[in-house]
Amino acid sequence: FLLCISVAFSLFAVLFPWVLQLIRGADMFKTPLTAGAMVYAFVLHTGAAFMGSAIGALFHPRLVRDRRPGVLVSLGIMLIGFTAPGIVRLFPFAQFVIWLFPPVSRASTLLAGQDYFTPGVAGTLLLQYAVYGLVFSAVRIVSLSKRKFP
């Protein structure tokens, strides 16, 4: 189910800029928008959305009774994931625990200064997103089964 939602939102996130480019003209992006770039963007968006939805699912109402703290903790986890390089720069000892948080900031670090997606970078990011998403999903499934929910 989480993967279906991820694919739907990723499809929108990739097709929307393409439609805008068709309407406004070809000067919207620095480089020409290619089908390969759209495929890489779709795959990376899907991986990131799956990881994010898996994190959000950790705070399922059957696991966290009060939704407000669950939403706040989920947002905090994603915020730390986005700002991880800055946190490590300010607090170098944080690098020993920052790997526990989702690698959302890795995309901007690895893709900075590049005009095109490369298979190596896209594959690395997708693998990291998939591993984190699967681990968070496994933690949720184990937690739900311990609480006697299927």
Side-chain angles (χ1 to χ4, degrees):
F1 178 71
L2 295 178
L3 195 57
C4 291
I5 292 173
S6 301
V7 167
F9 279 104
S10 299
L11 199 58
F12 175 76
V14 171
L15 290 179
F16 186 72
W18 178 68
V19 170
L20 280 181
Q21 182 182 7
L22 289 176
I23 293 170
R24 293 184 179 172
D27 63 343
M28 189 168 162
F29 297 103
K30 195 166 73 171
T31 59
L33 188 59
T34 63
M38 290 178 64
V39 168
Y40 279 128
F42 173 74
V43 168
L44 291 176
H45 270 279
T46 302
F50 171 67
M51 180 180 59
S53 60
I55 291 168
L58 274 177
F59 302 99
H60 190 279
R62 291 179 177 162
L63 294 174
V64 178
R65 300 270 183 238
D66 191 4
R67 292 178 76 66
R68 185 172 294 149
V71 169
L72 291 175
V73 170
S74 182
L75 288 173
I77 289 171
M78 290 309 293
L79 184 62
I80 291 171
F82 280 122
T83 59
I87 292 171
V88 170
R89 221 175 299 121
L90 286 174
F91 308 104
F93 61 87
Q95 67 187 349
F96 300 111
V97 293
I98 207 78
W99 63 271
L100 293 169
F101 293 91
V104 181
S105 63
R106 292 271 299 156
S108 59
T109 303
L110 291 175
L111 295 171
Q114 292 187 7
D115 291 333
Y116 297 98
F117 291 109
T118 59
V121 171
T124 299
L125 289 171
L126 183 61
L127 181 66
Q128 289 176 354
Y129 293 163
V131 167
Y132 271 81
L134 290 172
V135 166
F136 288 131
S137 293
V139 168
R140 178 182 59 100
I141 290 168
V142 167
S143 298
L144 282 172
S145 66
K146 285 191 182 224
R147 290 189 174 239
K148 305 291 187 227
F149 288 106

